[in-house]
Amino acid sequence: MLEPRIHFTLSFTEPQAHYMDVEMDLFDFTETTLDIAMPVWTPGSYLIREYERHVENVEAFSESDRVSCMKISKNIWRIAQPSRHTKIRYRIYGFEISVRTNMINADRAFINPAATFMHVKNCIDLSCMVKIVLPKRWHHISTGLPKNTDHEHTFYAEDFDILYDSPLEIGNQEIWHFDAAGVQHEFAMVGGGNYNKQQLTADITKIVDEETKIWGENPNTNYVFITHNYQTGGGGLEHLNSTVLGASRNAYKAPNSYKNFLCLVAHEYFHLWNVKRLRPKELGPFDYSEENYTTGLWIMEGFTSYYDNLIIRRCGFFSVQEYLDMLANDFNQVYNRPGYRVQSAALASFDAWIKHYRPDENSANTSISYYNKGAMLAVALDLHILTETRGIKRLDNVLRAAYQTFYKKENRGFEEKEFQSLAEIVTGVDLSAIFYAAHSTEELDYNVYFNRVGYELVDLNHDTQELSLGIKIANQEGRILIKNVERNSSAWDAGLNVDDELIAINGNRLDLAGKELEFILQHGQIDEIVDVLVSRDGLVRTIHAPLRRSIKQQWSIREKLDATAAEKELGNLWLSI
């Protein structure tokens, strides 16, 4: 009996209109009906994106004639009476700038496979071939998929999990290659820019080597960096042996922007191990038709967010102070969102599907980022292990052991309790308080950990007398509008609303530069009642609001003046001094 086979062909008859054409050839399927499904999300980006909304003109043909093709749900088409060779044709519209969606134009195409390729339902484990028909003016294809040497511009995927994790950049991108950690790397630069290839190659080689040292091996034979350069760009998405990055094309020569790009590279490359291989059990094998919930993104993304800046420090690109400032920013991001009292890191992970990618005007009051909070918990773990073992072990040792145990030996995802248990066995350190904190809104005293390595976390605004209404405003078409109201602030209690237009305070009309509001806040008194004249849905009213002390926090990490020699030694070890 012949094994079922699937071949895809991508062509571009109208790329200027942002369309590509997809042919899906099914060979040797014996079922009387076949259900063909498209993913509704893409791994690494935890949001139902409804990729099927960009699909048009789905048709099916046998060797001799058209066959019935009926849409039976939002992302599934049913093929009736398929033959030994059934061809399915459809078109995809792609015109969205991001690292997780298709972008097609006259010059190039970025293909996110989850937004492009359908699979036969319940046949995710089948292999497939992908052939690219290049338009005449396009010359390059960059992807982590292995080439089929028997056919030009044709690639092979062992199964659909690999296919959906292997983006393609097609066009005229600048390409160069380099070796790092024994792995062949390709850099594909799209959109031009003022980057220096030699410097990028040297610096990224350091990052690859440093990260490989942590994990003990580099599991790839090849790796592809696809970078999209725009006037203003950012973001990244990890894949099994590639990544897609967003950058600003003319920012490479600005030192801070360049270091931030290196941090992005370090972050996405770290995912090569942490999430793509070492992962919670819920994150693979995937169900591409619905949400895949996990409470573990604070480990996957949070630990990676801790290590990205730390790697840049270890490589010598950040000074000690630059690194400490970046780490302090995680604390500022969390503690200046009242939502940290509402949502734990674990709950933020679980709710990523409904909250993280869908912020609204109240998000700061109800949620936190598992990236930032996870990084805070990661530094607590790292410093706790470092100090309890007197510098012999640290979080690096935990990650390597978990990678070896769960991925290499057992080839499965982990339960969080298993991860904690392994970490405690490897280090001999009780880590329960920190893991408990990941599931609680009770905050750790982080100075318990910083102080033991000769540093302290300080809120520079602790004694400030600055006043605030607890609102964020924006100028919009000549009007001053409230865009955010902080939980438990003066504005919150008084009843000021998002989208209220601020007209005057205490009888003084507000200017667009905000000088009148600034004057009131600088010269007012705590608990002084101010009269705020607003227009709400076209109706003018006065809101009486008390002035209160600003609760904005400004955290800094600095050396502890009375640190002992032993604490300083551990701090130097932590910071690679």
Side-chain angles (χ1 to χ4, degrees), residues 219-433:
N220 286 321
T221 56
N222 66 286
Y223 190 92
V224 181
F225 292 96
I226 298 172
T227 301
H228 297 153
N229 292 301
Y230 298 104
Q231 184 173 15
T232 302
L237 187 61
E238 71 277 1
H239 297 281
L240 193 66
N241 67 340
S242 64
T243 186
V244 185
L245 310 172
S248 299
R249 66 171 59 93
N250 292 319
Y252 290 95
K253 290 186 177 179
N256 288 338
S257 296
Y258 181 67
K259 290 175 185 178
N260 286 337
F261 179 73
L262 293 181
C263 285
L264 177 62
V265 169
H267 183 101
E268 302 305 337
Y269 201 85
F270 201 80
H271 276 314
L272 185 161
W273 297 273
N274 196 41
V275 93
K276 300 317 299 184
R277 290 167 175 84
L278 174 65
R279 57 175 176 77
K281 67 178 180 62
E282 300 89 354
L283 295 185
F286 294 118
D287 183 340
Y288 295 98
S289 65
E290 61 183 27
E291 296 89 343
N292 291 227
Y293 293 104
T294 177
T295 58
L297 294 181
W298 70 273
I299 298 175
M300 297 297 97
E301 291 292 356
F303 283 23
T304 303
S305 294
Y306 170 60
Y307 271 96
D308 55 16
N309 294 322
L310 189 62
I311 293 298
I312 299 305
R313 168 61 202 148
R314 290 180 183 180
C315 290
F317 303 133
F318 274 156
S319 68
V320 169
Q321 192 57 55
E322 284 177 320
Y323 168 69
L324 294 176
D325 289 345
M326 294 295 286
L327 181 58
N329 185 59
D330 287 312
F331 288 85
N332 285 316
Q333 289 294 320
V334 171
Y335 288 149
N336 282 303
R337 292 176 68 95
Y340 83 89
R341 301 185 185 275
V342 177
Q343 189 182 55
S344 68
L347 184 56
S349 303
F350 193 85
D351 280 348
W353 296 92
I354 58 173
K355 291 199 173 194
H356 182 73
Y357 292 96
R358 289 175 173 168
D360 60 28
E361 68 283 349
N362 198 43
S363 290
N365 292 319
T366 63
S367 63
I368 57 170
S369 166
Y370 46 80
Y371 287 83
N372 303 123
K373 189 58 180 290
M376 292 163 57
L377 294 163
V379 71
L381 286 168
D382 198 16
L383 298 185
H384 189 44
I385 295 167
L386 194 66
T387 53
E388 287 294 307
T389 63
R390 298 182 182 180
I392 296 174
K393 293 183 178 179
R394 58 185 309 177
L395 192 54
D396 296 27
N397 302 87
V398 173
L399 292 179
R400 183 186 293 199
Y403 172 78
Q404 289 292 330
T405 299
F406 299 119
Y407 173 69
K408 295 282 287 184
K409 294 179 182 178
E410 301 178 14
N411 191 29
R412 65 178 179 87
F414 60 80
E415 300 269 5
E416 189 175 317
K417 285 293 185 182
E418 291 180 304
F419 186 91
Q420 178 186 340
S421 177
L422 178 68
E424 293 177 336
I425 291 171
V426 168
T427 62
V429 179
D430 180 3
L431 305 172
S432 58

Side-chain angles (χ1 to χ4, degrees), residues 120-260:
V120 178
K121 194 174 181 183
N122 301 321
C123 293
I124 288 287
D125 57 341
L126 288 180
S127 64
C128 65
M129 306 287 287
V130 178
K131 179 180 179 180
I132 311 296
V133 180
L134 285 177
K136 289 183 179 179
R137 294 182 293 107
W138 299 6
H139 303 293
H140 301 307
I141 303 170
S142 296
T143 180
L145 289 172
K147 293 180 180 178
N148 182 314
T149 55
D150 295 331
H151 302 279
E152 187 179 30
H153 305 148
T154 302
F155 302 86
Y156 170 77
E158 185 177 327
D159 56 42
F160 276 78
D161 285 319
I162 291 176
L163 177 65
Y164 290 147
D165 210 15
S166 303
L168 300 101
E169 180 65 39
I170 307 170
N172 297 305
Q173 61 270 24
E174 182 177 16
I175 296 173
W176 71 92
H177 298 88
F178 61 96
D179 183 86
V183 175
Q184 182 71 18
H185 290 74
E186 175 182 318
F187 222 95
M189 276 291 199
V190 182
N194 62 357
Y195 52 86
N196 181 310
K197 289 193 295 185
Q198 289 72 30
Q199 182 181 3
L200 268 177
T201 298
D203 292 346
I204 292 174
T205 296
K206 288 183 181 179
I207 293 170
V208 171
D209 288 341
E210 191 63 42
E211 294 191 358
T212 302
K213 190 188 308 179
I214 292 172
W215 295 93
E217 68 170 16
N218 197 308
N220 286 321
T221 56
N222 66 286
Y223 190 92
V224 181
F225 292 96
I226 298 172
T227 301
H228 297 153
N229 292 301
Y230 298 104
Q231 184 173 15
T232 302
L237 187 61
E238 71 277 1
H239 297 281
L240 193 66
N241 67 340
S242 64
T243 186
V244 185
L245 310 172
S248 299
R249 66 171 59 93
N250 292 319
Y252 290 95
K253 290 186 177 179
N256 288 338
S257 296
Y258 181 67
K259 290 175 185 178
N260 286 337

